[in-house]
Amino acid sequence: MPRRARSIGTRFSQLDVSADATTIWSELSAVELEHRLDSLLALHGASLARLAGSYVREAGDRDDLLQEIAVAIWQALPRFRGECSERTFLFRIAHNRAIAFISRRHLPLRETDDDFDVEDGRPNPEEALATGQQGRRLLDAIQRLPVSLRQVVTLALEGLSYAEIGDVLGISETNVGARLTRARQRLRQLLLATP
């Protein structure tokens, strides 16, 4: 596995979605690809970890999945064609790897979230406690959604647009909107049903 992210040259800063990105990416040496991977993981690692955590329960499984995602990204980097943003490219790989991981290991889908604490920077402890409890209730409710709804909610919470979510999941923007609407309705029901 590549080492921690290092500073990278300006050559890489223009690789996002330029027209000749295919040529440039496919011509990079292994060392340059490693630097690019380090940069991408430093930039998007936390989001990818949250995505991995939304698919599996155990911290060890989450770490294994995250490692598989990183390897899959490493293998796919030379084939990046610039048809979407790097972020969408990474999330698409992560999503596909997570589905394969769950299927291969016959793991139950994550239903509760005991590992994540919602942090609130406000100084008032009572407000922090209430906000933390609300956050845990929301995360628990998200984990109880069917996978097709949980996927769009997780990606939306990561700040992806409808178009990006559609690219990641291979569905239309209209379908993304419909799934988010159904997910919001289910979340309301779940949150009202739990104290």
Side-chain angles (χ1 to χ4, degrees):
M1 210 61 240
R3 291 177 293 287
R4 288 255 159 208
R6 295 171 282 249
S7 62
I8 56 176
T10 57
R11 176 178 179 195
F12 299 113
S13 65
Q14 300 171 346
L15 291 177
D16 290 71
V17 291
S18 64
D20 56 332
T22 304
T23 307
I24 295 172
W25 280 74
S26 62
E27 292 176 359
L28 295 178
S29 71
V31 172
E32 292 170 321
L33 281 172
E34 182 177 331
H35 286 291
R36 191 60 191 146
L37 176 67
D38 288 344
S39 171
L40 290 170
L41 291 179
L43 185 61
H44 300 289
S47 295
L48 292 171
R50 285 188 296 271
L51 182 74
S54 73
Y55 282 93
V56 293
R57 284 186 201 160
E58 302 299 322
D61 288 335
R62 182 182 61 235
D63 293 342
D64 290 347
L65 174 56
L66 194 54
Q67 184 172 7
E68 284 192 27
I69 290 169
V71 169
I73 292 170
W74 166 257
Q75 293 170 338
L77 277 179
R79 295 186 306 275
F80 178 69
R81 296 185 305 258
E83 295 173 349
C84 61
S85 71
E86 289 176 337
R87 184 175 177 199
T88 301
F89 180 71
L90 297 179
F91 275 97
R92 177 74 177 225
I93 293 167
H95 163 72
N96 290 339
R97 184 57 56 188
I99 295 298
F101 184 86
I102 291 168
S103 297
R104 187 175 62 250
R105 294 208 180 177
H106 303 292
L107 293 173
L109 293 175
R110 186 180 177 114
E111 293 178 13
T112 61
D113 188 2
D114 300 327
D115 298 334
F116 293 100
D117 292 322
V118 177
E119 294 183 26
D120 186 357
R122 295 182 289 191
N124 184 332
E126 289 178 20
E127 288 178 15
L129 178 63
T131 301
Q133 289 172 344
Q134 289 173 346
R136 280 189 290 282
R137 282 184 61 223
L138 178 61
L139 288 173
D140 181 50
I142 291 170
Q143 294 305 319
R144 289 187 277 151
L145 291 173
V147 173
S148 63
L149 300 180
R150 185 170 56 227
Q151 292 167 336
V152 294
V153 169
T154 301
L155 294 172
L157 289 174
E158 289 300 331
L160 273 69
S161 69
Y162 281 28
E164 291 173 318
I165 294 170
D167 287 344
V168 169
L169 300 177
I171 60 177
S172 69
E173 288 182 52
T174 305
N175 196 319
V176 170
R179 287 186 187 187
L180 277 172
T181 299
R182 283 194 302 268
R184 286 184 195 110
Q185 291 169 346
R186 287 291 258 324
L187 285 172
R188 269 189 223 103
Q189 292 170 348
L190 289 168
L191 290 171
L192 290 174
T194 57

